[in-house]
Amino acid sequence: MAVADTLARPAARRGAKADSAAPSTEALPLDRILMADCIATMKALPTASIDMIFADPPYNLQLGGELFRPDGSHVDAVTDDWDKFDTFAAYDAFTRAWLAQAHRILKPNGSIWVIGSYHNIFRVGTAVQDLGFWILNDIVWRKANPMPNFRGTRFTNAHETLIWASKGEKAKYTFNYRAMKTLNDELQMRSDWEFPICGGQERLKKDGHKVHPTQKPEALLYRILLACTKPGDVVLDPFFGTGTTGAVARRLGRRWIGIEREPAYVAAAEERIAAALPLDESAVATMQSPRQQPKVAFGVLVENAYLTPGSILTDAKRRWRVTVRADGSLASECGATGSIHKLGATLQGAPACNGWTFWHYEGADGLRPIDALRQTWLLATQP
């Protein structure tokens, strides 16, 4: 494990005192795949250095014999040695060992996601809680196109479970609630997600066979990273496989570290990630929650000519027309004046009004809420 040994030396020089503070990202092997054992490699990483961990560990499927379709064709199931453990006790010991290192290397406000099936997720959940993590949600990934139960002896296994946990009960973990609501057509995101299993061009194949039997869809990782990380955050995947986490992290402007011991998977992941094109910085920016969003006065947009005095604003149904004045106040055709919020409430006869979403300006593609201008200003001015 030469990679792990190399990482261990600078960690030892820092000593115990440095463990109390988050280390610089310069101490991390960023945007690299470390071909080594995950537990040994995680032990060599600095304490409190990772923002988020996504883990897709072996499921310990305990498959008995070969599986065939009704037409006699063979089912390409998980029969690799990396998924085999002699006993439940051996699997539990392995799970606790890597989760203990995950807890150590996560930043105090970091979080972890672990995915599994009924074969292992309950055992993993026990270890997660025993090691001090605080479970925030269990997410059900409902597969839109699950593999049928060919033997007809059980219900079709059509979902997997993800555990999302913070480092402790009081941790101030990252959750981009507003971005998730926007992603879900302004509805609060629920804990049951529907995605198809990985297929089509996204499914990596070699000589007509799957490169990896349990390759996860990029859409699943996209949602997770968008929900729980910020641009520039460091994401670790200790069971990297063919690099779904790395490919999505690169697209979204996150830094990543992958650990994988199978050479064939590493080769496929390197090629895949190299082809993943990062999104433009402005495209990566997401809607912020009201608590996170910097306060912006409407007058700031007027001062900076995002809207000039004399501009006309209307509501979405064009019932009222108002004129923007030099001080950022609005004047209606009936003579009433006030702020974007007060005048909106007055005209509607309502106790309150969110002027940012009520008032619209005429854009090149039709009416747009003035909040769009605020978001544009924030993107241009915030670091």
Side-chain angles (χ1 to χ4, degrees):
M1 303 307 175
V3 174
D5 292 341
T6 301
L7 291 171
R9 286 194 291 272
R13 286 199 299 270
R14 281 190 296 275
K17 186 175 181 180
D19 288 344
S20 62
S24 166
T25 54
E26 294 178 1
L28 297 171
L30 295 176
D31 307 327
R32 287 175 52 197
I33 305 174
L34 309 178
M35 195 166 67
D37 173 76
C38 70
I39 297 172
T41 305
M42 291 168 77
K43 284 181 178 180
L45 293 174
T47 297
S49 60
I50 303 297
D51 295 291
M52 197 196 86
I53 294 173
F54 175 81
D56 183 9
Y59 286 10
N60 192 25
L61 294 178
Q62 312 118 43
L63 295 178
E66 299 291 332
L67 182 60
F68 296 91
R69 297 180 177 86
D71 63 3
S73 60
H74 181 259
V75 176
D76 189 10
V78 183
T79 56
D80 305 81
D81 289 341
W82 51 258
D83 192 61
K84 297 175 182 177
F85 292 81
D86 292 335
T87 62
F88 283 132
Y91 184 79
D92 292 345
F94 167 76
T95 299
R96 289 175 180 275
W98 75 258
L99 277 172
Q101 291 305 313
H103 195 277
R104 181 186 65 81
I105 63 178
L106 267 182
K107 292 180 180 178
N109 297 332
S111 66
I112 184 171
W113 287 76
V114 188
I115 187 169
S117 68
Y118 70 88
H119 303 87
N120 71 322
I121 198 64
F122 302 107
R123 310 186 78 87
V124 171
T126 298
V128 164
Q129 291 182 309
D130 287 348
L131 289 166
F133 290 101
W134 186 260
I135 295 179
L136 301 167
N137 275 117
D138 66 323
I139 303 292
V140 174
W141 165 30
R142 189 162 68 88
K143 301 174 182 178
N145 53 342
M147 182 182 296
N149 188 284
F150 296 112
R151 291 175 177 169
T153 56
R154 305 182 188 182
F155 295 108
T156 297
N157 185 25
H159 78 277
E160 293 186 28
T161 302
L162 298 103
I163 294 172
W164 175 38
S166 63
K167 197 166 181 180
E169 182 179 2
K170 305 298 183 182
K172 296 180 180 179
Y173 52 90
T174 295
F175 178 47
N176 300 317
Y177 167 82
R178 190 68 185 81
M180 289 296 96
K181 190 173 181 181
T182 303
L183 193 67
N184 198 38
D185 287 340
E186 293 303 320
L187 296 175
Q188 192 175 59
M189 184 75 76
R190 295 165 30 137
S191 62
D192 52 335
W193 300 353
E194 183 175 358
F195 296 104
I197 59 176
C198 190
Q201 291 185 339
E202 186 182 336
R203 168 66 77 174
L204 302 184
K205 292 187 176 182
K206 186 174 183 179
D207 300 327
H209 297 284
K210 300 174 184 175
V211 174
H212 195 293
T214 64
Q215 181 182 335
K216 297 301 183 287
E218 290 192 6
L220 180 67
L221 271 297
Y222 184 98
R223 183 173 293 184
I224 291 171
L225 265 62
L226 200 65
C228 298
T229 63
K230 302 180 291 294
D233 279 358
V234 178
V235 180
L236 171 74
D237 186 335
F239 307 96
F240 202 58
T242 54
T244 303
T245 301
V248 176
R250 187 165 190 250
R251 284 173 55 206
L252 290 177
R254 276 63 169 168
R255 311 303 298 270
W256 56 272
I257 301 170
I259 306 174
E260 176 55 56
R261 68 184 188 185
E262 302 293 330
Y265 297 162
V266 171
E270 288 176 339
E271 182 177 350
R272 178 186 188 184
I273 294 169
L277 298 177
L279 295 175
D280 181 82
E281 184 176 345
S282 62
V284 171
T286 61
M287 295 287 287
Q288 297 175 312
S289 71
R291 287 181 297 175
Q292 295 172 319
Q293 190 160 332
K295 297 226 177 256
V296 179
F298 178 67
V300 170
L301 302 185
V302 178
E303 287 177 328
N304 289 275
Y306 281 75
L307 278 172
T308 57
S311 297
I312 300 299
L313 304 180
T314 71
D315 63 292
K317 296 182 179 179
R318 301 182 187 273
R319 293 168 295 179
W320 296 284
R321 284 167 53 90
V322 296
T323 302
V324 177
R325 303 199 298 184
D327 62 354
S329 63
L330 304 181
S332 72
E333 294 175 326
C334 64
T337 61
S339 69
I340 58 172
H341 310 296
K342 182 178 179 181
L343 188 56
T346 298
L347 293 175
Q348 296 178 88
C353 171
N354 181 351
W356 290 110
T357 56
F358 180 73
W359 293 114
H360 291 62
Y361 69 98
E362 195 73 50
D365 54 351
L367 284 181
R368 300 196 66 196
I370 58 175
D371 188 54
L373 295 175
R374 176 171 62 164
Q375 298 299 327
T376 301
W377 186 85
L378 286 169
L379 289 173
T381 59
Q382 300 302 308

